[in-house]
Amino acid sequence: MSATVQVIRPGFVAEIGNVDLRTVIAPDDVAIIQNAVDNHPVLVFRGPTLTNDQHIAFSKNFGNLSRATEYQKDPMKRRLGGEMTDASNLSEDNQVLGAGDRRRMNNLGSRRWHTDGSYKALSGKYSLLHCHTEIADGGQTQFADMRGGYDALPERMKQLIDKLVVVHSIFYSREVVGFGGFSPEEQSTLPQARHPLVRVHPASGRKSLYISSHAWHIEGWPIPEGIDLLHELTEYATQPDNVYTHQWQVGDLTMWDNRFTMHRARRHWPETAVRDMRRTTIEEAAPPLQQAA
Ligand code: OGA
Ligand code: MN
């Protein structure tokens, strides 16, 4: 029997069943999943837990993996290989990171609404986030539908933003959470990226907002004017009825389309409890400004 698609939120979230992500996925099932994510930019798969290699192999069905971002001069000891991003609160020897640890400060950035890799020219297309531990209290991941966010805008706002280009930088999103002080040398490793503010969702033809905590400068605008607009758009797009909250169970994997959603992590209680989350990201085939639409 083929993979099944159960709609959770029409046009936004669906759960995929009857497919074992530990195995080589049959081409027909890859096509079902691809079609599902084309129509529902957030997909949920339930257990069992995958090895890192199985997670990576499944991800490669959907494009090229991007390497985990390294921008700190003294590379931190990594728990996972370079094809995975460590979204956990763990050190390389599986100890919960302390408050001052730069890896923890980096990951606190994920608690702000964002889209993965928007600070790169080849930004994140899909992300696949997998839960390895029970998270008893809190620690959800939330997703906002950016086509719904666009639809919620008043007409004159849609006209104002239609052709705008936005500059994204990982150093901006770290600074605003109080994690800064990067040297020019560190900053030169990840130059800023320019992206359209409005994109078109191919399957539905609907317009969508492309914003992120990394977004900071509207090209051609004074900096404070741009930051003000970006905050306002984020507020429109993250109204509760436009948000899906995923409560994690061990073995869950969520796959989302970064082009048409934003997401954020929520606090878990107590923070000394392990939250072991691992992510792969598929990169865009071309910079968004060069894509048709
Ligand atoms: C990520 C991310 C959210 C979370 O891995 O890109 O934002 O809930 N994670 O861990
Ligand atoms: Mn993220």
Side-chain angles (χ1 to χ4, degrees):
M1 201 182 131
S2 326
T4 57
V5 181
Q6 186 198 340
V7 175
I8 298 175
R9 296 269 293 267
F12 183 18
V13 186
E15 181 170 330
I16 307 296
N18 208 40
V19 58
D20 185 345
L21 305 190
R22 296 170 300 181
T23 62
V24 175
I25 312 293
D28 286 357
D29 282 343
V30 173
I32 289 171
I33 297 166
Q34 181 66 61
N35 186 54
V37 78
D38 286 344
N39 289 289
H40 299 86
V42 179
L43 300 181
V44 175
F45 301 79
R46 303 281 187 184
T49 309
L50 308 177
T51 65
N52 295 342
D53 286 346
Q54 289 165 345
H55 181 165
I56 289 167
F58 174 64
S59 306
K60 285 181 174 167
N61 286 303
F62 306 100
N64 293 331
L65 288 185
S66 54
R67 304 277 309 167
T69 298
E70 300 268 9
Y71 59 88
Q72 304 191 35
K73 183 162 163 284
D74 299 317
M76 298 287 137
K77 290 202 171 118
R78 291 181 54 83
R79 191 174 66 107
L80 308 174
E83 288 182 309
M84 293 201 120
T85 293
D86 197 343
S88 77
N89 60 348
L90 296 172
S91 66
E92 74 286 1
D93 51 2
N94 287 306
Q95 302 301 306
V96 173
L97 297 169
D101 194 289
R102 290 165 68 87
R103 290 165 292 187
R104 174 172 166 83
M105 290 196 278
N106 178 60
N107 283 359
L108 282 177
S110 293
R111 294 195 186 171
R112 307 282 71 81
W113 285 109
H114 68 283
T115 178
D116 291 335
S118 71
Y119 49 83
K120 298 197 248 188
L122 290 183
S123 43
K125 184 177 186 187
Y126 304 124
S127 288
L128 297 94
L129 183 63
H130 187 41
C131 176
H132 286 253
T133 47
E134 186 191 347
I135 304 167
D137 191 359
Q140 303 91 339
T141 304
Q142 293 187 306
F143 299 91
D145 176 357
M146 301 310 284
R147 295 158 307 155
Y150 180 87
D151 291 346
L153 301 176
E155 197 52 43
R156 57 191 176 185
M157 179 64 93
K158 290 179 181 166
Q159 284 170 17
L160 175 69
I161 67 172
D162 198 36
K163 297 278 179 261
L164 296 179
V165 172
V166 184
V167 182
H168 297 241
S169 164
I170 192 163
F171 300 104
Y172 177 75
S173 62
R174 305 303 98 157
E175 292 271 358
V176 295
V177 299
F179 180 31
F182 299 102
S183 66
E185 186 189 344
E186 286 173 314
Q187 299 201 29
S188 69
T189 61
L190 272 179
Q192 311 193 79
R194 309 168 60 237
H195 297 305
L197 178 51
V198 178
R199 305 181 69 169
V200 177
H201 182 248
S204 63
R206 289 170 65 194
K207 289 189 173 176
S208 190
L209 287 173
Y210 189 60
I211 52 178
S212 180
S213 61
H214 312 301
W216 71 284
H217 176 39
I218 308 274
E219 265 187 13
W221 285 28
I223 303 291
E225 300 287 336
I227 289 176
D228 179 67
L229 175 66
L230 292 165
H231 277 284
E232 188 177 355
L233 296 175
T234 301
E235 282 167 19
Y236 272 111
T238 57
Q239 298 297 312
D241 62 357
N242 197 42
V243 169
Y244 164 72
T245 299
H246 188 72
Q247 187 78 52
W248 291 98
Q249 294 171 19
V250 187
D252 286 359
L253 183 144
T254 57
M255 172 175 174
W256 65 86
D257 191 330
N258 284 296
R259 300 170 299 173
F260 309 111
T261 56
M262 282 205 291
H263 62 280
R264 67 173 176 181
R266 305 301 278 160
R267 177 188 293 277
H268 69 286
W269 304 84
E271 293 220 61
T272 48
V274 172
R275 182 174 185 269
D276 187 351
M277 310 292 292
R278 307 179 196 178
R279 193 187 92 214
T280 52
T281 304
I282 302 298
E283 66 187 13
E284 299 248 30
L289 273 176
Q290 289 173 23
Q291 296 174 26

